[in-house]
Amino acid sequence: MTIFQFPQDFRWGTATASYQIEGAAQEGGRGVSIWDTFARTPGKVFNGDNGDVACDSYHRYEEDIELMKKLGINTYRFSIAWPRIIPDGDGEINREGLDFYHRFVDKLLEAGIEPFCTLYHWDLPQTLEDIGGWGNRRTVDAFVKYAEVIFKEFSGKINFWLTFNEPWCIAFLSNLLGIHAPGNKDLQTSINVAHGLLVAHGKAVQSFRRLGTTGQIGIAPNVCWAEPYSKSPEDRAACDRAIALNTDWFLDPIYKGSYPQFMVDWFEKAGATVPIQEGDMEIISQPIDLLGINYYTMGINRFNPEAGALQSEEVDMGLIKTDIGWPVESRGLYEFMHYLQKYGNVDVYITENGACINDDLENGKINDDRRIAYYEQHLAQIHRIINDGINLKGYMAWSLMDNFEWAEGYRMRFGLVHVDYRSLVRTPKESFYWYQNVIKNNWLETRI
Ligand SMILES: N=NNCCOCCOc1ccc(-c2cn(C[C@@H]3NC[C@@H](O)[C@H]3O)nn2)cc1
């Protein structure tokens, strides 16, 4: 057995997102989001599931906060639904929406839990998608207006901010692969979306500073760590492209003020260019205070000219997989965090990490040992990373509770707490109690 002691000020938390847990989709003045539309489009979401009810956290947030208190977390990452704040995306402010989040945040603070707020976790107002979404500068300006409303309302209550969750998913999963909303399948569109959200990020950071908003602000890319299947230069390059599209494509503009040239060249060969306007890169590269990193798995990749826009293919190496099919391999988190050092030893929070394990209730318990094993491996890597002197400041497990897992609907379960979607009864899993113990001790006790 090994004991891994964490720093005294290390933040322990969990994460969720508005569309995935709130429900009340037609309540409180909320407007329609692209996920309401996408989920109602036949064939897009498993079983035709949607976020109309979800976990009903809009009405049950006090119960959820009681669970957080029981778990012992000191930090809770959530997202604000833009369609609750400005229902048509760019018009009147909905006071009822702001009041909901004030009640929620006040309850969190009362419980001694630090709110960690994501401004955009994929629920774009449909009216803005109707005019071209993030590829239209009007959407960029509407986001800044929305962000400024939130900064003014919650400065002093919220001190940890993220502009965007998983920009690769927003741009490429949703507009090149078409797997998430709005479901476009076009390379130029996806590059326009990526650039638009980066400009929106930079402008929001400028507003954050100008308004003197309390706290720190950053962005949360998701990681695609990949190692080459062979020693061939082609396989190495295929991995570089896969990693770069999730990370460098967004963090080079933010930290260096320019896109990674090898990727710009790669896309130009495919006939796609970045729609940079005068001053964009200066706006995008506003200094930020922190990075959120979302890590789930890693791949062994090889070159395949038939394998999509990146010509990079993941090889199934027969590793143990979670129930969503992702290999369990915590090594990629350690390797990636060292890769990230090229941007400097910036403050990093793991804003998502977790396992899709679809165990169900058995005699009133959920014995999700596989999820415990996943967390054990990944927290051991977290300790290695901190031990190497990297500024990893906190960890948020994805997710507090089972919720709407996008195109997979409700069949895929990432929660530490089981949700019965008929009764909405919450039941802490064995992993909840395991994580509770890690938090209480502020150390990890491995079984090996
Ligand atoms: N990478 N290359 N893929 C090539 C082809 O992939 C096909 C499928 O792709 C993906 C990739 C990534 C995801 C994903 C899901 N989550 C979990 C959510 N994170 C934010 C939070 O809301 C969680 O629900 N994180 N990532 C889904 C599908």
Side-chain angles (χ1 to χ4, degrees):
M1 178 186 74
T2 308
I3 299 274
F4 295 104
Q5 179 72 53
F6 287 87
Q8 272 317 304
D9 59 355
F10 192 71
R11 288 194 169 277
W12 292 105
T14 58
T16 62
S18 47
Y19 189 80
Q20 295 181 270
I21 67 164
E22 285 180 1
Q26 289 86 32
E27 279 186 57
R30 180 181 179 278
V32 176
S33 79
I34 57 174
W35 270 95
D36 298 294
T37 305
F38 193 71
R40 277 179 169 66
T41 308
K44 297 300 184 187
V45 177
F46 175 77
N47 189 41
D49 291 342
N50 61 53
D52 285 356
V53 176
C55 307
D56 193 35
S57 288
Y58 183 81
H59 299 109
R60 298 165 192 256
Y61 67 87
E62 292 174 294
E63 179 184 354
D64 295 341
I65 293 174
E66 284 307 308
L67 280 169
M68 296 177 213
K69 284 163 66 176
K70 182 176 177 179
L71 183 56
I73 61 172
N74 56 35
T75 304
Y76 179 64
R77 179 179 174 231
F78 67 102
S79 76
I80 290 178
W82 184 349
R84 290 197 185 281
I85 308 304
I86 305 179
D88 71 0
D90 191 17
E92 294 303 305
I93 294 167
N94 175 35
R95 188 73 242 169
E96 204 173 345
L98 289 172
D99 292 346
F100 165 69
Y101 290 107
H102 273 297
R103 290 195 302 276
F104 174 69
V105 168
D106 290 348
K107 210 72 183 159
L108 274 184
L109 293 169
E110 202 180 289
I113 297 171
E114 188 77 46
F116 203 112
C117 176
T118 307
L119 289 170
Y120 185 79
H121 200 127
W122 306 356
D123 39 6
L124 182 70
Q126 181 62 47
T127 50
L128 295 172
E129 185 57 35
D130 293 342
I131 62 165
W134 292 106
N136 185 331
R137 293 287 168 120
R138 282 176 53 195
T139 300
V140 171
D141 294 338
F143 175 76
V144 175
K145 173 182 168 183
Y146 154 64
E148 289 180 352
V149 167
I150 299 300
F151 293 149
K152 289 172 191 165
E153 280 287 327
F154 293 95
S155 182
K157 286 188 179 181
I158 296 176
N159 290 300
F160 290 90
W161 302 87
L162 295 169
T163 52
F164 288 92
N165 181 69
E166 297 185 350
W168 176 86
C169 289
I170 300 168
F172 298 102
L173 184 61
S174 307
N175 290 281
L176 175 61
L177 301 178
I179 294 170
H180 280 190
N184 297 318
K185 294 185 180 180
D186 178 74
L187 179 59
Q188 186 61 63
T189 300
S190 60
I191 288 172
N192 296 349
V193 167
H195 189 67
L197 74 85
L198 278 170
V199 175
H201 161 84
K203 287 186 169 195
V205 173
Q206 287 178 321
S207 296
F208 181 87
R209 307 283 185 226
R210 188 181 66 254
L211 293 170
T213 315
T214 61
Q216 299 175 312
I217 193 165
I219 190 168
N222 56 300
V223 171
C224 172
W225 189 250
E227 291 178 358
Y229 178 71
S230 79
K231 290 196 179 303
S232 74
E234 293 77 16
D235 286 0
R236 176 66 263 168
C239 288
D240 293 344
R241 292 192 295 274
I243 292 167
L245 197 59
N246 284 62
T247 308
D248 308 44
W249 191 259
F250 300 98
L251 297 189
D252 273 24
I254 291 172
Y255 284 110
K256 297 181 177 176
S258 62
Y259 282 90
Q261 194 56 48
F262 82 104
M263 292 298 292
V264 171
D265 298 341
W266 176 266
F267 285 139
E268 278 183 355
K269 278 191 286 188
T273 55
V274 187
I276 299 173
Q277 294 179 18
E278 178 70 30
D280 283 354
M281 301 317 289
E282 290 70 29
I283 290 170
I284 293 170
S285 55
Q286 294 302 310
I288 57 175
D289 308 305
L290 60 85
L291 264 187
I293 292 296
N294 295 353
Y295 178 90
Y296 288 93
T297 185
M298 67 165 277
I300 300 295
N301 283 46
R302 66 184 168 197
F303 171 66
N304 175 351
E306 306 303 315
L310 294 184
Q311 299 182 6
S312 179
E313 169 186 64
E314 215 168 304
V315 182
D316 186 338
M317 302 300 284
L319 291 180
I320 292 173
K321 295 183 178 65
T322 64
D323 292 344
I324 202 169
W326 300 347
V328 177
E329 182 48 272
S330 60
R331 191 167 52 82
L333 176 56
Y334 180 82
E335 300 299 336
F336 175 79
M337 290 302 290
H338 279 276
Y339 177 81
L340 199 60
Q341 296 310 294
K342 67 179 183 176
Y343 298 112
N345 197 0
V346 297
D347 282 5
V348 178
Y349 295 80
I350 300 299
T351 38
E352 285 181 33
N353 177 245
C356 174
I357 305 292
N358 300 331
D359 291 337
D360 224 323
L361 275 157
E362 277 177 34
N363 309 319
K365 284 177 74 175
I366 298 105
N367 295 303
D368 56 338
D369 281 351
R370 291 184 292 151
R371 178 173 285 107
I372 292 171
Y374 178 97
Y375 277 124
E376 197 172 52
Q377 289 175 39
H378 287 77
L379 287 180
Q381 297 291 0
I382 296 285
H383 190 271
R384 278 181 79 197
I385 291 159
I386 295 168
N387 200 46
D388 285 359
I390 292 176
N391 285 334
L392 180 45
K393 302 285 189 181
Y395 178 87
M396 286 146 238
W398 182 271
S399 179
L400 171 66
M401 68 184 109
D402 296 336
N403 59 55
F404 177 78
E405 181 48 41
W406 309 111
E408 301 292 349
Y410 293 104
R411 68 172 166 173
M412 296 301 175
R413 294 175 178 269
F414 279 87
L416 293 163
V417 174
H418 177 274
V419 176
D420 178 322
Y421 292 111
R422 287 183 308 280
S423 66
L424 296 168
V425 166
R426 280 97 158 114
T427 308
K429 303 176 185 177
E430 289 312 296
S431 57
F432 175 99
Y433 299 108
W434 179 87
Y435 190 46
Q436 181 188 59
N437 196 46
V438 169
I439 295 169
K440 177 169 67 68
N441 295 330
N442 197 36
W443 75 60
L444 168 69
E445 208 171 299
T446 60
R447 292 173 282 187
I448 36 186

